[in-house]
Amino acid sequence: MSWFLAVLRQYATFRGRARRREYWTYLLVYFGFYILCMLADMLTGTFDLETEGGLLSGLYILGMVLPSLAVSVRRLHDTDRSGWWLLIGFVPLLGQIVLLYFLIQEGDEGANPYGPDPKAAGRG
């Protein structure tokens, strides 16, 4: 949970680097909260089967767009890639596989053009 909160504290920070642990823990907690929001929508009757979404889950996704983009860009920075590489995810299948590979990769050891190594900085 501390990694999730660390991402939220850097809500719209696109500079720097994010470790794999920070990124994947954020994503896991993000989806956990999303599922809880969907369940709350179903219980309160605000869930729509046509759109497969609801009021609470929609607001949650809307509020989490910037931190999700920011941590993804910082994750790419950790592998010495520009945040613009996120756009490759729009290429059907192959682009998504390539992006997943980039996000899974070990970060660069030592400093790179995007900042110091977060792993060496002792964060976790």
Side-chain angles (χ1 to χ4, degrees), residues 11-32:
Y11 191 82
T13 303
F14 291 85
R15 291 184 183 186
R17 296 167 60 175
R19 294 178 58 182
R20 278 188 299 188
R21 175 185 269 174
E22 178 180 356
Y23 178 78
W24 291 106
T25 303
Y26 167 79
L27 215 58
L28 181 67
V29 175
Y30 171 90
F31 280 116

Side-chain angles (χ1 to χ4, degrees), residues 16-123:
R17 296 167 60 175
R19 294 178 58 182
R20 278 188 299 188
R21 175 185 269 174
E22 178 180 356
Y23 178 78
W24 291 106
T25 303
Y26 167 79
L27 215 58
L28 181 67
V29 175
Y30 171 90
F31 280 116
F33 279 131
Y34 178 70
I35 289 169
L36 290 176
C37 288
M38 292 283 286
L39 291 172
D41 282 333
M42 288 178 192
L43 290 173
T44 59
T46 61
F47 184 78
D48 183 19
L49 284 174
E50 271 187 43
T51 62
E52 297 180 1
L55 177 65
L56 190 57
S57 56
L59 289 174
Y60 176 73
I61 288 175
L62 189 61
M64 299 304 282
V65 167
L66 267 178
S68 297
L69 281 174
V71 75
S72 298
V73 167
R74 290 194 314 271
R75 178 70 202 119
L76 287 171
H77 286 174
D78 194 37
T79 62
D80 201 13
R81 288 183 179 81
S82 167
W84 290 105
W85 275 102
L86 276 177
L87 296 177
I88 201 170
F90 288 113
V91 176
L93 194 61
L94 183 62
Q96 295 161 0
I97 291 170
V98 169
L99 183 59
L100 179 63
Y101 173 75
F102 290 163
L103 295 172
I104 290 173
Q105 251 185 337
E106 177 85 28
D108 286 354
E109 283 190 31
N112 71 16
Y114 300 103
D117 185 356
K119 205 172 201 178
R123 285 185 15 193

